[in-house]
Amino acid sequence: AFVHAELAERLGLVVGSRVTVSVYLYTYLRHVLTPDTLREVYQGDGASAASTRAAWGVLVPLTVTGVFNASRGKFDSDKRSVALVELGPFFGGLSRFVRPDMPLVAGDLAAARPYDHVQSVTFNLPPPRLDRYMKNDYREIQREVVTFMSRLVARMGYEDVAAKFQVLSELRKLRIFNLFLGLIISVVMVSLVGLLVLLIYSLLIVSVETRTFDLGILRMVGMTRAGVVRLLLAQTLTFAVPAWALGLVTARFLTAFLLERIGDITGAKIDPRLLPESVAWGTVMGLIVPCVAAILPIRKALAANLKDAIDANRSKVTALQVTVERSSHAKPPAFVITGGLIMSVFGFMVYYLFPKALLEANLSLLLYIFLSLLIGMLLGLSTLSLNLERSIEHLVAYTLLWWNGSSVRSMMHKNLIAHRLRNRKTTIMYSLSLAFIIFIVVTFALQIVTFQYQEKQEKGTLLQLSCPRSIKSQRLFDQVTQLVQEEEKVLDVGWMSHSLATVTGVETFATTIGKTVTVGQYVHAVSPNFFRVVLPGFLVLEEHDEESGYFIDEQLYTPRGSQSAIIGSLYKKSMSLSLNSTFLLQVKPRISDRDVDPNAPPPQSPYT
């Protein structure tokens, strides 16, 4: 057998050690033993299966052949008391350790084919299986996994098996988090593209304005327009290529470090190499986007008058510009065309994409519509900051420069007017950068708070101690109580028992007085301070007795509350219950524990 490292440490086991395992055979009787053997066993003992459980306990000696530290995804990673054995030899060896007065049971176990009675089988996706779970869209992962499982279930029979998706069910819990994280990354990408375009544009436009004389000389000595374009593109690439190369190298080592840490935590081996899609996006961001941002500076350089460019006696900054247009060659204003395109896209999104996302329940499409609205809000607020630019300049001038004379302030205002276009670019860059930073910080903080809220809702408390039914809980409870008294950081402790069905081995149901509605129900005992210890904010009381002066958990310990229970508001409508209503708690033995009728016909298949 292979045993877990923690179990081996507790029992003092090493490779080659002998250990005895107690196996309870009663679970396998319905599937392995023949109906004739079952009838003879029950008739011979003259008792039901529930009263003969001690007879099915078998002690099997095993040899430790290995010790492992992690489950590697083969079983629940929270389980520590685990021993792995080969099914065939282990199942066949059980017959040698059955009680001597049960020869038919030993014979059926020896003759049985173990793999014909397997109740669960775990399948893995074809390699590379991890790549299928690395996609950002949960729907794509779900589609691929469900398609693979559907083919398997179709071959085995839909009526005979039930499929469970262990990994997919865990990913489903994080699908909303994943969508919002993808939304944040998309906003980051769009914002970075905008900032990159503005930065490259500002650098090149300043270079073009400061090198107007040099460009004029080059054009005068024979440089063509294509040469000017190549010159400015080369200057753009001098900014972009080093940043692109440095970014890819940094991303390679940073990604390898982070994925190695994640692999150590999850126990999965993740390829640290950069994906081709990542390199492609990095190339687009690092090389192509800067070249697109250089279009307007190149047009400005080519549109410059050669006479004005080589005139070194006059300033290149113009405080006043006059544009003369012929009415016969009038063109639609650029802002009209841009506004029309934006409104057309907005209408298409509202009247087609939004209803489509609602009808298909496509949450990803809804979030990306939300993303486009956020980008529009950022651009709108940035435009609003441009309209307030002049007012803010006056406010800052009179607030910070009030001690200077009017001539100084007048000169400053004239300089600001002369450099208004250049300052407008700086204003846009600053407003977009500030909006980008604030949005990312707020959205990331909101996502973390939402994830924490979800985890708190699922866990219910900050610290939870659980013990199996086989351990005497009173001794542990006394130790916890002593810890609370000695530890100042622990304010209070509450408890909740195992369910009545788990402890007594029965099935519990809540039913109405007339037994017209019956629903399965788990019954737990709680301490009188239970709801004061669990995390607040998740309990919604629809009806409770406010006149008693006690909270609902404390009311259970009053004389009247000793015959009462706290139930969910779901049953208020389904069972027509209200405050102080009466219902019945019905207790039945489990189906596997009920008496077997010896005269009943034998089952034809294990699925009956």
Side-chain angles (χ1 to χ4, degrees), residues 28-77:
Y28 303 97
L29 292 181
R30 288 176 298 159
H31 306 286
V32 178
L33 300 186
T34 61
D36 295 335
T37 302
L38 282 174
R39 290 194 185 96
E40 184 170 345
V41 169
Y42 287 115
Q43 289 175 354
D45 290 344
S48 64
S51 62
T52 60
R53 291 187 175 185
W56 310 116
V58 178
L59 299 179
V60 181
L62 298 175
T63 302
V64 179
T65 56
V67 179
F68 60 93
N69 295 318
S71 62
R72 299 295 180 184
K74 303 302 181 183
F75 54 88
D76 191 355
S77 59

Side-chain angles (χ1 to χ4, degrees), residues 105 212 315 317 464 483 528 560 573 600:
V105 175
T212 303
S315 174
V317 177
Q464 180 179 355
L483 176 63
R560 182 180 180 182
K573 182 178 181 180

Side-chain angles (χ1 to χ4, degrees), residues 246-537:
L246 182 61
L248 289 181
V249 173
T250 305
R252 170 64 179 86
F253 289 103
L254 183 60
T255 303
F257 173 76
L258 293 177
L259 292 181
E260 184 179 358
R261 300 282 81 78
I262 295 175
D264 294 339
I265 296 174
T266 60
K269 186 177 181 181
I270 306 176
D271 189 1
R273 294 176 297 180
L274 291 178
L275 297 177
E277 295 85 356
S278 303
V279 178
W281 275 109
T283 303
V284 170
M285 292 284 291
L287 299 181
I288 299 180
V289 173
C291 293
V292 174
I295 293 177
L296 292 180
I298 290 174
R299 291 187 60 183
K300 182 176 179 62
L302 296 178
N305 189 355
L306 181 60
K307 175 180 176 299
D308 296 333
I310 61 177
D311 189 356
N313 296 323
R314 297 179 59 184
S315 174
K316 302 301 183 294
V317 177
T318 56
L320 182 63
Q321 292 182 352
V322 178
T323 303
V324 179
E325 297 180 355
R326 294 182 180 272
S327 59
S328 59
H329 298 86
K331 296 181 180 179
F335 73 90
V336 174
I337 298 177
T338 305
L341 291 176
I342 293 175
M343 295 306 295
S344 300
V345 173
F346 180 77
F348 176 77
M349 181 177 63
V350 171
Y351 291 103
Y352 178 75
L353 293 182
F354 185 69
K356 175 181 173 63
L358 292 179
L359 291 175
E360 297 179 355
N362 191 342
L363 187 58
S364 300
L365 183 57
L366 282 175
L367 289 178
Y368 279 101
I369 294 175
F370 179 61
L371 164 66
S372 61
L373 294 178
L374 288 177
I375 298 300
M377 291 173 61
L378 292 178
L379 294 178
L381 292 175
S382 300
T383 306
L384 179 61
S385 66
L386 291 180
N387 296 329
L388 300 177
E389 178 185 1
R390 185 61 181 163
S391 301
I392 295 176
E393 288 177 355
H394 279 280
L395 179 62
V396 172
Y398 285 103
T399 303
L400 302 180
L401 302 177
W402 57 270
W403 62 86
N404 290 321
S406 58
S407 58
V408 176
R409 289 196 298 269
S410 176
M411 181 181 63
M412 184 195 68
H413 287 306
K414 291 180 179 179
N415 276 276
L416 290 175
I417 293 173
H419 296 83
R420 177 176 295 179
L421 295 179
R422 184 181 297 180
N423 293 338
R424 184 170 296 173
K425 302 180 185 67
T426 306
T427 303
I428 294 176
M429 184 180 299
Y430 178 78
S431 60
L432 286 179
S433 302
L434 192 61
F436 163 73
I437 294 173
I438 294 175
F439 175 79
I440 294 300
V441 171
V442 173
T443 309
F444 185 74
L446 179 62
Q447 185 64 24
I448 294 298
V449 170
T450 304
F451 184 73
Q452 290 177 349
Y453 184 87
Q454 179 181 354
E455 289 297 315
K456 289 180 179 180
Q457 184 183 25
E458 180 180 355
K459 305 302 180 183
T461 183
L462 297 178
L463 178 61
Q464 180 179 355
L465 302 178
S466 302
C467 63
R469 292 184 294 111
S470 59
I471 297 179
K472 295 181 179 180
S473 58
Q474 183 61 42
R475 177 177 57 85
L476 295 179
F477 185 75
D478 294 340
Q479 294 177 356
V480 172
T481 304
Q482 182 180 359
L483 176 63
V484 172
Q485 295 175 354
E486 297 176 354
E487 184 62 47
E488 297 180 355
K489 294 183 180 180
V490 180
L491 301 179
D492 200 355
V493 59
W495 52 264
M496 180 178 67
S497 69
H498 290 281
S499 66
L500 183 62
T502 305
V503 175
T504 60
V506 298
E507 295 179 353
T508 53
F509 300 88
T511 180
T512 56
I513 297 296
K515 297 185 178 181
T516 56
V517 179
T518 302
V519 293
Q521 189 63 261
Y522 289 101
V523 181
H524 298 267
V526 296
S527 61
N529 63 337
F530 180 77
F531 288 106
R532 292 200 306 268
V533 176
V534 297
L535 295 174

Side-chain angles (χ1 to χ4, degrees), residues 201-233:
Y201 170 78
S202 300
L203 291 175
L204 289 180
I205 205 70
V206 170
S207 177
V208 168
E209 291 177 355
T210 55
R211 297 179 56 191
T212 303
F213 180 78
D214 298 337
L215 293 175
I217 295 297
L218 292 175
R219 292 171 61 186
M220 188 176 63
V221 298
M223 177 176 283
T224 61
R225 298 170 66 89
V228 175
V229 173
R230 289 194 297 268
L231 178 63
L232 294 179
L233 285 178

